[in-house]
Amino acid sequence: MAGRDWNPWRRLLALPNESRTKTVIVAFLVSAVCAALVSGATVVLRPIQTANRAAEEQARIAALVQGIPGMTTLLEQSGGALSTVVIDLTTGRAAAEVTPATLEATLNDATHWTVLDAAQDVAGLGQRPDFAQVFLLRDNDTVSLVLLPISGQGYGGRIDAILALRGDMNTIAGIAVTRHSETPGLGGRIQETSWQGDFPGTELRDENGEMRFAVARGPAATAYEVDGITGATRTGRGVTQMVRFWLGPDGYGPLLDAIQRGSSEPCRKRRPIGPH
């Protein structure tokens, strides 16, 4: 009489296909293999996805800069390159330990985010990162252009954009909306170049330093306004509030103040990047 087969795999295969035990075990094994393959693919593809997102953002930055009148000449005069630096938003100075290469990992740590109270949170973010990567164009020792990533809540969800300011830190040079969830044909028009083209030359603050920027409900009536979008009042309000937040004291305000004072600190530890 043959001895009992103690090999579990052969014993499983020997079970009839109608066996509930065999069905459950095979289903579990297939699920485990599929989960492992999906996890492996995620790990392998994550660097590619990150690189693709970075390339897309660089392309938007390049398009934004090239669309600003006189920028091509300024880039050529300054060597054809922007520089990038990670800013500590609390101080407005270059971050001591965080670089563009380590920024994403740093912000994966919840301790590097600041919770905003209701009075601060005009952009509807809930919390703000402690560090942000900005881009600077210098004309000799003077910052002639700064590109600032900004975000806020619109009608349909989060809006992300890059805002360009001229050297006076009070005049908008351009804007590029990089992500939004607004209604197509209404709020979604914020991604149209025709609407974004209304931003260059718009001023932020009046002579008393009071923030005046706003997306108007209709056609712009002052030097501090851009045209509103018909039927998208809440989207316009969201853009207004995110610009006001990020250029205020809880956003890039300390950095802009330092640049206006002529401080070189925000520009230290900078890394040149090509104009793409």
Side-chain angles (χ1 to χ4, degrees):
M1 178 173 163
R4 183 174 182 179
D5 189 347
W6 293 100
N7 186 300
W9 181 245
R10 285 200 295 264
R11 291 177 61 189
L12 173 64
L13 294 179
L15 291 174
N17 291 336
E18 298 79 11
S19 168
R20 180 175 298 176
T21 300
K22 185 175 183 179
T23 300
V24 171
I25 293 176
V26 169
F28 172 79
L29 291 175
V30 170
S31 299
V33 170
C34 290
L37 290 174
V38 170
S39 298
T42 300
V43 171
V44 171
L45 293 176
R46 184 177 292 122
I48 298 174
Q49 293 170 338
T50 300
N52 287 341
R53 286 196 297 270
E56 290 173 0
E57 181 166 326
Q58 291 293 337
R60 291 189 182 101
I61 291 171
L64 172 61
V65 171
Q66 292 168 3
I68 298 172
M71 272 305 102
T72 301
T73 301
L74 279 174
L75 284 172
E76 292 173 351
Q77 291 174 348
S78 64
L82 294 169
S83 60
T84 181
V85 62
V86 174
I87 296 296
D88 182 330
L89 291 174
T90 302
T91 64
R93 298 174 178 270
E97 303 294 337
V98 186
T99 67
T102 63
L103 178 60
E104 183 176 0
T106 299
L107 295 183
N108 284 334
D109 184 345
T111 62
H112 294 304
W113 289 75
T114 296
V115 176
L116 302 169
D117 61 37
Q120 295 172 300
D121 194 18
V122 296
L125 295 170
Q127 58 181 352
R128 180 220 69 189
D130 292 338
F131 306 98
Q133 182 179 6
V134 304
F135 302 85
L136 304 165
L137 178 65
R138 294 172 61 82
D139 183 5
N140 295 321
D141 292 331
T142 303
V143 175
S144 56
L145 184 77
V146 59
L147 276 64
L148 308 170
I150 61 175
S151 57
Q153 285 295 121
Y155 173 71
R158 181 183 173 108
I159 298 172
D160 291 334
I162 299 170
L163 184 69
L165 300 182
R166 292 202 172 273
D168 63 0
M169 300 298 117
N170 192 53
T171 305
I172 296 177
I175 192 171
V177 175
T178 58
R179 185 177 71 172
H180 71 87
S181 302
E182 303 304 280
T183 306
L186 294 173
R189 290 179 57 200
I190 61 174
Q191 202 160 21
E192 294 178 1
T193 55
S194 58
W195 184 74
Q196 295 178 22
D198 196 36
F199 277 73
T202 303
E203 297 179 20
L204 299 168
R205 298 177 177 82
D206 60 22
E207 60 275 9
N208 298 318
E210 179 181 354
M211 175 62 73
R212 296 280 303 281
F213 171 82
V215 176
R217 288 180 175 271
T222 72
Y224 311 103
E225 295 179 327
V226 297
D227 291 342
I229 298 173
T230 302
T233 301
R234 290 177 62 180
T235 299
R237 185 184 305 122
V239 174
T240 296
Q241 296 300 80
M242 80 174 185
V243 169
R244 290 189 174 196
F245 171 81
W246 282 104
L247 301 187
D250 297 306
Y252 296 111
L255 169 65
L256 303 185
D257 290 343
I259 293 175
Q260 287 178 313
R261 292 194 305 267
S263 171
S264 62
E265 181 66 22
C267 304
R268 291 179 185 170
K269 298 175 61 178
R270 62 186 184 273
R271 180 172 64 91
I273 60 175
H276 307 283

